[in-house]
Amino acid sequence: MVQSKRTDSATPAPSAEEALSRTTIMRPADAAAVEDDRAHYLFVVEGEQRGRRIEITEESLVIGRSKPADIVVPDHNVSRNHCRVGLVMGQLVVTDLGSSNGTLVAGRAITGQSRASRSARPRSSTSGAAAAT
């Protein structure tokens, strides 16, 4: 025999045990500043691809010197898998992938993952790629 529980339309508050067993994803405190309908783009500002514009979405993109990188920058100063860019909860996130020449965000070298401000310009230490949001 199958029994069903009847529930009212009002959802009761979770017990303390239920609340502790749930995963809650919260936006950073400054997330309100990035909630808009504008797109985020990566612009190439130097080199043979100057003027190229790539939209940055929540799907992360790998920037590198050759395929299988999603964005190929044909510059010998860019590593094969240089860095990854993407949006995480509306925030631009740049991750250095162990590049030889490093990745800069707002003029500072990063190691691993870095959240970038809206005006940050991620770049390889010698290439001309920059992000504008």
Side-chain angles (χ1 to χ4, degrees):
M1 178 164 88
V2 177
Q3 292 183 335
S4 65
K5 291 183 179 180
R6 182 173 176 224
T7 58
D8 295 329
S9 61
T11 305
S15 69
E17 183 178 322
E18 287 176 321
L20 292 175
S21 67
R22 292 184 180 171
T23 300
T24 303
I25 299 174
M26 300 179 70
R27 293 185 178 270
D30 58 345
V34 296
E35 289 187 39
D36 59 34
D37 60 354
R38 292 181 288 176
H40 300 267
Y41 294 93
L42 181 74
F43 291 93
V44 178
V45 295
E46 295 175 11
E48 64 183 64
Q49 294 186 343
R50 183 178 185 179
R52 181 178 177 196
R53 182 179 84 164
I54 301 111
E55 185 172 1
I56 300 171
T57 64
E58 291 189 11
E59 178 182 338
S60 66
L61 300 171
V62 172
I63 299 172
R65 182 177 64 232
S66 59
K67 289 287 185 187
D70 301 303
I71 302 170
V72 175
V73 179
D75 184 324
H76 69 279
N77 293 309
V78 174
S79 297
R80 280 187 214 120
N81 290 303
H82 197 91
C83 65
R84 177 179 292 118
V85 296
L87 297 176
V88 176
M89 296 173 64
Q91 296 249 305
L92 175 64
V93 175
V94 181
T95 306
D96 183 78
L97 299 175
S99 63
S100 300
N101 291 318
T103 301
L104 305 176
V105 174
R108 294 181 5 194
I110 64 166
T111 55
Q113 192 176 79
S114 176
R115 236 179 43 186
S117 70
R118 293 179 58 79
S119 61
R121 298 173 64 97
R123 30 184 343 125
S124 80
S125 62
T126 56
S127 77
T133 58

